[in-house]
Amino acid sequence: MRMPTGITSFDPVMEGGVPPGSVILLLGDIGAGSTEFVYSSVINLSVLKRNPNNQRQMLPEEIRYITFTKMEDDIRRDIHLSFDPEITAGLGDDVHFDDLSEQYFDASTVPGDWYTERDLMSRLKRRSEHKSTLVQLATVLGTVAENSLVILDSLTDIATSYSDTENWKELTAYLRGLQRVSKRWNTTIYMLLTEGILNRSQIQEIADITDAVILFRWEESAAARRQRVMYFQKFRGVMPHLEENDLVKFSVRISPKIGFEVSNIRVII
């Protein structure tokens, strides 16, 4: 059984989807398609959950979208601006958003009235009871049903806060624990990370921890046109199948009417 991504041009390549329990790093250049991949996946899975058409598909019990600096309204607005109404209408109430931005900003010097409507006393009380963002994230993950899909938007927000040496050890230990417990929960986790912000060794360490790394890149075509491509750096238990069928690298197209779609790189001229 595979858990579909909901992207119809991609799931057949993956023999129906991804192995449940996979922690998948979506590592992308800015604007190269990683965010649209997540948006399209969430919308299409929301539709499939309401109208299942394949008994062999392992649809997620829950779709949990966890943000650290963005509000739910911002995400929904971004989705509605990105795609046509006939697509965005598929984003149902079964997609549950967890907003940890107050927890994130409480530990910063950002003025409270920039990110919350709480009064000063309430904010001071919250800060006196402050828990780290990772602790709060663990609390939220503990409420997710087994056999679900979780999106962390984004790991970039967390990693930049933990990039110094001591804190970095704490973050990588946390991610190793998450990679381990995801198998017990049978829950797939997408982690968005922007390329070029962390140093190369830190990115490689995160990549080593995860089950899969999907890269989203801008490349120059033969006609000197920029184009988006998506390819696998690794995928435990899946890579041999992809290599055998020459399905490691794909061209990417994003359109308002379809959303995110891929095609085999061999068709690129």
Side-chain angles (χ1 to χ4, degrees), residues 158-197:
I158 298 297
T160 51
S161 301
Y162 285 79
S163 57
D164 62 273
T165 304
E166 282 305 312
N167 285 330
W168 185 254
K169 292 178 181 178
E170 180 182 351
L171 176 62
T172 54
Y174 188 96
L175 293 178
R176 291 185 192 280
L178 183 60
Q179 190 273 339
R180 176 173 174 148
V181 78
S182 66
K183 311 300 178 290
R184 186 191 307 162
W185 295 338
N186 210 36
T187 289
T188 300
I189 301 174
Y190 293 158
M191 301 194 304
L192 285 155
L193 181 64
T194 303
E195 181 69 278
I197 295 177

Side-chain angles (χ1 to χ4, degrees), residues 214-245:
I214 305 179
L215 305 175
F216 298 81
R217 295 282 187 264
W218 286 102
E219 290 189 356
E220 297 288 340
S221 69
R225 262 178 42 186
R226 291 187 82 201
Q227 61 188 11
R228 296 180 178 94
V229 297
M230 180 185 88
Y231 56 96
F232 293 91
Q233 188 175 66
K234 75 169 188 176
F235 207 133
R236 290 173 184 161
V238 178
M239 206 67 182
H241 160 77
L242 296 171
E243 291 276 8
E244 182 181 15
N245 292 280

Side-chain angles (χ1 to χ4, degrees), residues 39-263:
Y39 287 169
S40 297
S41 179
V42 166
I43 292 170
N44 293 334
L45 285 175
S46 180
V47 173
L48 285 173
K49 278 175 61 63
R50 295 195 299 275
N51 306 285
N53 56 13
N54 185 344
Q55 296 302 315
R56 289 185 56 80
Q57 286 182 320
M58 181 186 166
L59 294 175
E61 187 68 25
E62 283 188 284
I63 303 172
R64 298 287 287 269
Y65 199 116
I66 302 175
T67 69
F68 301 104
T69 60
K70 304 170 187 172
M71 297 183 295
E72 175 182 346
D73 288 347
D74 291 338
I75 300 294
R76 289 185 177 273
R77 186 183 301 112
D78 195 15
I79 290 172
H80 283 284
L81 289 172
S82 299
F83 307 121
D84 286 348
E86 56 264 32
I87 293 182
T88 58
L91 185 64
D93 294 334
D94 50 346
V95 179
H96 181 82
F97 287 82
D98 295 281
D99 179 0
L100 302 186
S101 60
E102 285 195 21
Q103 188 75 30
Y104 179 92
F105 287 119
D106 274 349
S108 73
T109 57
V110 176
D113 56 0
W114 288 12
Y115 62 88
T116 181
E117 295 181 356
R118 296 176 188 268
D119 59 54
L120 177 60
M121 293 304 295
S122 298
R123 295 201 301 269
L124 290 174
K125 184 175 184 297
R126 273 178 56 87
R127 291 192 180 189
S128 68
E129 300 169 349
H130 178 73
K131 297 179 181 178
S132 76
T133 306
L134 292 182
V135 170
Q136 188 64 28
L137 174 59
T139 301
V140 171
L141 290 172
T143 68
V144 178
E146 293 187 358
N147 309 311
S148 293
L149 172 66
V150 172
I151 296 97
L152 300 185
D153 185 4
S154 73
L155 184 59
T156 311
D157 298 328
I158 298 297
T160 51
S161 301
Y162 285 79
S163 57
D164 62 273
T165 304
E166 282 305 312
N167 285 330
W168 185 254
K169 292 178 181 178
E170 180 182 351
L171 176 62
T172 54
Y174 188 96
L175 293 178
R176 291 185 192 280
L178 183 60
Q179 190 273 339
R180 176 173 174 148
V181 78
S182 66
K183 311 300 178 290
R184 186 191 307 162
W185 295 338
N186 210 36
T187 289
T188 300
I189 301 174
Y190 293 158
M191 301 194 304
L192 285 155
L193 181 64
T194 303
E195 181 69 278
I197 295 177
L198 299 176
N199 66 48
R200 178 51 52 186
S201 64
Q202 289 174 326
I203 291 175
Q204 288 302 308
E205 188 168 5
I206 293 175
D208 179 64
I209 291 169
T210 57
D211 298 298
V213 180
I214 305 179
L215 305 175
F216 298 81
R217 295 282 187 264
W218 286 102
E219 290 189 356
E220 297 288 340
S221 69
R225 262 178 42 186
R226 291 187 82 201
Q227 61 188 11
R228 296 180 178 94
V229 297
M230 180 185 88
Y231 56 96
F232 293 91
Q233 188 175 66
K234 75 169 188 176
F235 207 133
R236 290 173 184 161
V238 178
M239 206 67 182
H241 160 77
L242 296 171
E243 291 276 8
E244 182 181 15
N245 292 280
D246 195 19
L247 297 173
V248 177
K249 192 173 184 180
F250 307 87
S251 63
V252 170
R253 181 171 178 265
I254 301 168
S255 69
K257 295 185 179 298
I258 298 175
F260 184 98
E261 58 181 331
V262 300
S263 60

